[in-house]
Amino acid sequence: MRSFQYIFLMTVLFALGGYWAYTLADGLLNRGEYVRHLQSQVFPDSVTSLLTWLLPALNLLMLIFLLHAPWQRAGIFVSTVLFSLTAMYAALVIADYFPQAPCNCIGTVRNLSWEGHFILNLAGAALSLCGLFLNGRERRKV
């Protein structure tokens, strides 16, 4: 049973690492479009300016954490938080919380509806939570 848990944990780490690597590369290679999409959201300009650098930095930090075994749990935890926050943001948009619905062009899959973003981020949060659980079990067995 232990080998299955280890393989599943490695699959989770690979999936999270791939997601954050893609997100980082997309944000850096398409920087102008990335900034425009962030500016089309509901955040004040000061927050948007911060997010244009903070989010790619967090993506890079998570990749480093996910690749370095002693820090993997922190990387998985931050992944859980970011996926959860993004799911909550999508839920607020779906619930018409904001006076005007922001462009759904933000995110990894730009053509996805807000409902799709919500489901994608819920799935990412669930996957991350599984990773936290499995990482904790593997650490206790060592």
Side-chain angles (χ1 to χ4, degrees):
M1 182 66 143
R2 181 168 184 236
S3 62
F4 173 76
Q5 291 173 352
Y6 179 77
I7 290 170
F8 190 65
L9 175 60
M10 291 300 110
T11 303
V12 168
L13 291 170
F14 181 78
L16 292 175
Y19 181 86
W20 297 122
Y22 174 82
T23 304
L24 174 63
D26 185 54
L28 294 177
L29 295 174
N30 303 309
R31 181 104 180 117
E33 185 179 11
Y34 175 75
V35 170
R36 278 192 307 281
H37 290 169
L38 273 174
Q39 290 170 337
S40 73
Q41 300 307 304
V42 298
F43 310 116
D45 289 341
S46 59
V47 173
T48 301
S49 296
L50 176 67
L51 288 176
T52 60
W53 293 107
L54 180 64
L55 292 176
L58 278 174
N59 290 341
L60 179 60
L61 187 65
M62 279 187 291
L63 279 172
I64 292 167
F65 279 17
L66 292 170
L67 290 172
H68 189 59
W71 300 340
Q72 283 175 343
R73 190 163 181 78
I76 299 169
F77 178 77
V78 175
S79 291
T80 305
V81 170
L82 280 181
F83 277 123
S84 298
L85 288 173
T86 308
M88 285 188 271
Y89 179 66
L92 289 173
V93 173
I94 293 166
D96 291 325
Y97 176 79
F98 303 110
Q100 181 177 342
C103 164
N104 68 343
C105 52
I106 192 91
T108 307
V109 186
R110 287 183 185 85
N111 295 329
L112 205 56
S113 66
W114 279 112
E115 290 81 2
H117 281 292
F118 177 71
I119 291 168
L120 174 70
N121 284 284
L122 272 184
L127 185 67
S128 297
L129 284 172
C130 286
L132 277 175
F133 174 75
L134 291 170
N135 182 270
R137 290 182 63 105
E138 283 298 314
R139 291 172 60 140
R140 282 192 295 267
K141 289 181 180 178
V142 174

